[in-house]
Amino acid sequence: MTNTTPKKPSRIQTRNRRLILDAALDVFSRDGYGGATLDAIAKGAGLSKPNVLYYFEGKTEIYVTLLSQLLETWLDPLVELDPDGDPVEELLGYVRHKLDMSLELPAESKLFAGEILKGAPRISKYLRHDLKPLFDRKCHVIQDWIDSGRLAPVDPAHLIFSIWATTQHYADFGAQVAVLLDADDPSAGAHAHLEQLFRSLLVPPLPKD
Amino acid sequence: MTNTTPKKPSRIQTRNRRLILDAALDVFSRDGYGGATLDAIAKGAGLSKPNVLYYFEGKTEIYVTLLSQLLETWLDPLVELDPDGDPVEELLGYVRHKLDMSLELPAESKLFAGEILKGAPRISKYLRHDLKPLFDRKCHVIQDWIDSGRLAPVDPAHLIFSIWATTQHYADFGAQVAVLLDADDPSAGAHAHLEQLFRSLLVPPLPKD
DNA sequence: TCGTTGCTTTACCAATTGGTAAAAATTTTA
DNA sequence: TAAAATTTTTACCAATTGGTAAAGCAACGA
């Protein structure tokens, strides 16, 4: 009875794979896939390059592992969108949650953005298999809310795009925001503005009947 | 009387520099600065690598030239925001213009996005010297509109961020949009949605008195 | 204590990269 | 047309890169 999943990882394996992935997040998000080097990752992890390659088959495997693990965390707030909650509050809560993630985990957001920017060559299958079904499900939820008159009639897909775009902007374009904004911390202003933006869009025109 | 700007460029110079910059736009926007190679650019331009280096001092100079030229084009619609026009229509026109640019020139948008994503290490001075003053000026215009009651009270800076984020999303995250959207062409839906999004935000609560 | 297994290091390599030197070819100018 | 200037090619290089081979070292069960 040969086991395909080769044993369970040792303590050292767990620790070092973690070290490598943490360092890789820094390097990949700063330099992009093409600009990142195994040496930089190894140095960041405090390991030698061949030692890094003992834990991962190559640069690409590190990158893909990182991204696919990331995708889960990243989609979690969308999963939590509750069909039984109050539509406007559910969506505004999602906006808040997404914005907080962008402000607190900019490296993760940037890593993902960089991959999409280049056409998602290495994670398009994850997009299709994980993201797309979830996206469709949530579009349907939003459409139901609209049909029941508890949400202004909007295009669900484009609404989600807008939420993603506006929230991630503070992470992905953080360098630009920092230059343009005199206040050092954009978070308060961003929260207030996005609340206003999406509330004015989403509140249904007439009371619930 | 020695001239610092060394003569005017010959016809060949003009043509080949154009060829190189066009090819570089493709390569840099696809592979990022780190992933791009001079060989790829040279091949794209139909020139040999040393020949490319006859026209530009190095990879970095090509990249910076491209970005600084691009910045001008990219900021042009913002320049055109007219203080004497109707506030809501001016801003919605800006949204439309910006969205059209993203849909029609995705490579340019991606190149710029990639640079900002990495912290704008090579164009931060352009951001400070060109973008920031323009940005401040236009924030002031918007604030005046608000103060005169012709625009809903919004944070001008964050409003501009939202416009940039939502419009550029269709270029920068085009790969993701393509996977998620069943319709092949997002442009119609995007235009309608952004019109709705920003109109509902910007229309002032009360008539002009 | 010995051997097996898992982890790490040293030394290395082939390919690619940005860039150069200088000759050759071409175009322009006188 | 001949000289001068410009453009292009050929041949090359040092540095970096992703990756490998294999020996050394550590841990652990029998």
Side-chain angles (χ1 to χ4, degrees):
Chain A
M1 195 166 65
T2 49
N3 199 342
T4 49
T5 56
K7 337 226 164 150
K8 73 177 168 190
S10 73
R11 238 170 279 106
I12 294 180
Q13 269 172 8
T14 314
R15 175 176 54 88
N16 282 352
R17 284 182 66 99
R18 188 73 266 144
L19 280 175
I20 292 166
L21 289 175
D22 285 347
L25 173 63
D26 279 352
V27 176
F28 279 127
S29 71
R30 178 164 32 87
D31 302 329
Y33 179 83
T37 68
L38 283 177
D39 285 294
I41 295 171
K43 195 176 173 185
L47 301 172
S48 67
K49 186 169 63 173
N51 202 7
V52 166
L53 290 167
Y54 174 76
Y55 290 101
F56 290 92
E57 282 191 8
K59 184 180 169 180
T60 305
E61 201 208 329
I62 301 178
Y63 184 73
V64 173
T65 303
L66 201 55
L67 271 174
S68 59
Q69 286 187 7
L70 184 64
L71 197 61
E72 261 183 75
T73 319
W74 220 244
L75 292 183
D76 198 52
L78 186 57
V79 174
E80 288 174 12
L81 208 72
D82 181 9
D84 298 325
D86 177 75
V88 173
E89 295 311 317
E90 280 293 322
L91 285 167
L92 290 180
Y94 178 54
V95 170
R96 263 195 309 276
H97 195 155
K98 203 80 211 316
L99 178 56
D100 279 333
M101 283 182 70
S102 288
L103 293 169
E104 280 160 34
L105 305 169
E108 281 83 349
S109 183
K110 285 177 184 178
L111 182 72
F112 190 71
E115 171 67 11
I116 305 290
L117 203 60
K118 285 166 190 53
R122 280 167 252 261
I123 59 151
S124 61
K125 74 167 173 221
Y126 292 92
L127 295 186
R128 250 172 274 275
H129 294 153
D130 299 331
L131 179 56
K132 178 76 161 87
L134 174 65
F135 179 81
D136 286 340
R137 224 156 51 234
K138 296 304 176 178
C139 280
H140 200 89
V141 169
I142 294 171
Q143 190 58 56
D144 285 346
W145 283 339
I146 295 168
D147 292 341
S148 70
R150 296 185 294 160
L151 201 67
V154 296
D155 186 317
H158 289 279
L159 169 64
I160 294 177
F161 293 157
S162 292
I163 294 174
W164 288 347
T166 49
T167 53
Q168 289 176 208
H169 186 84
Y170 294 95
D172 303 341
F173 288 73
Q176 185 177 245
V177 170
V179 168
L180 297 181
L181 230 50
D182 299 315
D184 3 10
D185 183 21
S187 74
H191 264 111
H193 170 74
L194 294 187
E195 162 98 20
Q196 184 187 0
L197 175 65
F198 288 106
R199 190 177 287 281
S200 65
L201 172 74
L202 295 174
V203 167
L206 300 171
K208 295 173 204 168
D209 190 4
Chain B
M1 193 166 65
T2 49
N3 199 343
T4 50
T5 54
K7 337 217 164 156
K8 74 178 168 190
S10 73
R11 238 171 277 106
I12 293 181
Q13 269 173 7
T14 314
R15 175 175 55 89
N16 282 353
R17 284 181 67 99
R18 188 74 266 142
L19 281 174
I20 291 167
L21 289 174
D22 285 348
L25 173 63
D26 279 353
V27 176
F28 280 127
S29 71
R30 179 163 31 88
D31 303 329
Y33 179 83
T37 68
L38 283 177
D39 285 295
I41 295 172
K43 195 177 173 185
L47 301 172
S48 67
K49 185 170 63 176
N51 202 6
V52 167
L53 289 167
Y54 173 75
Y55 291 100
F56 290 92
E57 281 191 11
K59 183 180 169 180
T60 304
E61 202 208 329
I62 302 178
Y63 183 74
V64 173
T65 303
L66 202 54
L67 272 174
S68 60
Q69 285 188 7
L70 183 63
L71 198 62
E72 261 183 74
T73 319
W74 219 244
L75 292 183
D76 196 52
L78 185 56
V79 174
E80 289 176 11
L81 208 71
D82 180 10
D84 299 324
D86 177 76
V88 174
E89 296 312 317
E90 280 295 320
L91 286 166
L92 290 180
Y94 177 55
V95 170
R96 262 195 309 276
H97 196 155
K98 203 82 208 313
L99 178 57
D100 279 333
M101 282 182 71
S102 288
L103 293 169
E104 281 160 34
L105 306 169
E108 281 82 348
S109 182
K110 286 177 182 178
L111 182 71
F112 190 71
E115 172 67 10
I116 304 290
L117 203 61
K118 286 168 189 52
R122 279 166 252 263
I123 59 153
S124 61
K125 76 165 170 223
Y126 293 93
L127 295 187
R128 250 171 274 274
H129 294 155
D130 299 331
L131 180 55
K132 177 77 162 88
L134 174 64
F135 180 81
D136 286 341
R137 223 156 53 233
K138 295 305 174 175
C139 279
H140 200 88
V141 168
I142 294 171
Q143 189 59 55
D144 285 346
W145 283 340
I146 295 168
D147 292 341
S148 70
R150 296 185 294 158
L151 201 67
V154 296
D155 186 315
H158 289 280
L159 168 64
I160 294 177
F161 292 158
S162 293
I163 293 175
W164 288 348
T166 50
T167 54
Q168 289 176 206
H169 187 84
Y170 293 95
D172 303 342
F173 288 73
Q176 186 177 243
V177 170
V179 167
L180 296 180
L181 231 49
D182 298 317
D184 2 11
D185 183 21
S187 74
H191 264 110
H193 171 73
L194 294 186
E195 162 99 20
Q196 185 187 359
L197 175 65
F198 288 106
R199 191 179 285 281
S200 66
L201 172 73
L202 295 174
V203 167
L206 300 170
K208 294 172 205 168
D209 191 4

